Amino acid sequence: MVIQELQEIVKKRIREKTDHTYLQTHLPNPIVDDNKLLLTISLLLEAKLNERDIIVYATTITLVQIALDTHELVTNDRMQMGSEIDRQLTVLAGDLYSGQYYKLLANVEDIKMLRYLARGIKEVNENKINFYHQNAKNVSQVIDLVKNIESSLIKKLGSYFYLDEWNAFIEEFLFLNRLEIEQNNYIHSNQSKLVDILNDFESDKLEKNMVLDKYRKMTLSQLEKHIQNIPKINEQLKEKVDQLFNINSQQQMYVEEG
């Protein structure tokens, strides 16, 4: 089965697991990050799992990510401005999605994976607390916090299947993915928590729309180096990396013209 088919099956499973009529009348449907899903499936393929297990584990990891993202919405300024019922439902939705991934792993009796994911969830939440409370003392610490938020879960998956050589690539790939998301958010809404925090540490006080561009260039350089350490990378993931390089070039032109 090709990767695209696996992605569509996982997305279908996610829709089934997160379908709740009442929640959907009050909250937006959960969003699947296609790049994280592609990376997850790529790791599982590298681990030589069969199609059934790939679908189960990829669905599980994606549900964990959705649950964490949903709970994070409660700390978002826009959510704080919303109604109390919306906040309560958002917490309940996150709990619902969490319960779904526990059920999936319980069905395959994979207690060891539950332990790995529990550690990953703990790391993500600890780093989110430090990020949102702005406990970082310098830019390097900010970047490390964001990298851990984005990559801890999938790195735990890699460690579970003894694929630690992927870790550096996973960090840079997902950090670049986060930078692209933040850049798009900033372009469309003129708001980005990451832009604000990074800008606070900039000694030369770059224009806000250029802050992410600076760190994107640095990340692309690291990504190009770390991709060489992966023995075999599938074509779909390689194409996605190339696409991120192209997006960077286009956005750099946009920033320069702006």
Side-chain angles (χ1 to χ4, degrees):
M1 190 180 295
V2 298
I3 290 179
Q4 290 92 332
E5 290 179 282
L6 289 168
Q7 286 178 292
E8 289 307 313
I9 291 172
V10 171
K11 286 183 179 180
K12 183 174 183 291
R13 295 281 177 90
I14 294 296
R15 287 193 293 271
E16 292 169 353
K17 298 291 183 184
T18 59
D19 182 44
H20 193 287
T21 304
Y22 181 71
L23 285 178
Q24 289 169 343
T25 61
H26 291 271
L27 303 173
N29 290 329
I31 297 172
V32 174
D33 187 317
D34 287 329
N35 289 341
K36 285 185 178 178
L37 179 56
L38 171 60
L39 185 55
T40 300
I41 291 175
S42 297
L43 271 176
L44 295 169
L45 286 169
E46 185 68 14
K48 311 300 182 190
L49 269 64
N50 60 46
E51 291 173 3
R52 174 187 169 278
D53 287 344
I54 288 173
I55 292 167
V56 169
Y57 285 116
T59 302
T60 300
I61 294 292
T62 305
L63 279 169
V64 175
Q65 188 64 62
I66 287 173
L68 289 169
D69 291 346
T70 301
H71 280 143
E72 186 177 0
L73 287 173
V74 180
T75 67
N76 187 284
D77 291 339
R78 285 171 295 177
M79 179 59 68
Q80 289 173 2
M81 293 167 60
S83 68
E84 184 63 26
I85 185 78
D86 286 346
R87 286 192 289 272
Q88 292 172 348
L89 285 174
T90 302
V91 173
L92 290 173
D95 292 344
L96 173 66
Y97 307 148
S98 299
Q100 293 286 11
Y101 76 74
Y102 280 121
K103 182 179 178 182
L104 274 173
L105 288 181
N107 287 341
V108 296
E109 299 181 346
D110 198 336
I111 304 303
K112 184 179 177 183
M113 175 63 87
L114 276 172
R115 293 196 192 101
Y116 271 69
L117 289 185
R119 291 188 206 122
I121 292 167
K122 179 174 179 287
E123 288 178 17
V124 170
N125 286 329
E126 287 175 347
N127 282 278
K128 281 185 178 180
I129 289 170
N130 286 322
F131 177 77
Y132 281 104
H133 284 268
Q134 299 186 39
N135 293 333
K137 295 180 172 58
N138 52 54
V139 168
S140 179
Q141 288 184 8
V142 173
I143 291 172
D144 285 344
L145 288 174
V146 177
K147 284 182 177 180
N148 288 332
I149 290 168
E150 295 301 308
S151 67
S152 287
L153 275 178
I154 297 182
K155 284 198 299 182
K156 285 292 183 288
L157 180 69
S159 295
Y160 182 79
F161 291 110
Y162 306 101
L163 296 171
D164 292 312
E165 68 272 16
W166 280 66
N167 281 352
F169 171 79
I170 290 170
E171 278 192 6
E172 301 303 330
F173 179 80
L174 292 180
F175 183 57
L176 184 58
N177 183 54
R178 174 65 178 267
L179 291 177
E180 299 305 329
I181 292 170
E182 294 288 338
Q183 183 74 40
N184 288 331
N185 288 342
Y186 190 76
I187 288 172
H188 291 100
S189 69
N190 207 36
Q191 292 182 336
S192 165
K193 184 76 169 177
L194 182 56
V195 168
D196 292 339
I197 293 175
L198 289 174
N199 194 62
D200 286 341
F201 286 107
E202 283 296 326
S203 58
D204 53 358
K205 294 302 174 188
L206 296 169
E207 290 292 329
K208 275 194 172 184
N209 64 341
M210 296 181 66
V211 172
L212 293 181
D213 186 58
K214 172 181 176 179
Y215 295 101
R216 188 165 49 242
K217 289 175 184 175
M218 294 165 55
T219 307
L220 284 165
S221 175
Q222 291 299 311
L223 185 63
E224 193 170 24
K225 179 176 71 175
H226 292 309
I227 199 172
Q228 307 302 321
N229 298 327
I230 300 177
K232 185 179 179 182
I233 185 168
N234 63 67
E235 277 303 311
Q236 287 83 354
L237 187 54
K238 187 175 183 304
E239 285 176 10
K240 179 53 66 176
V241 171
D242 291 341
Q243 183 183 343
L244 288 172
F245 274 81
N246 291 333
I247 289 174
N248 174 71
S249 299
Q250 292 169 3
Q251 289 188 340
Q252 184 176 345
M253 290 174 60
Y254 174 85
V255 169
E256 290 172 352
E257 290 173 0

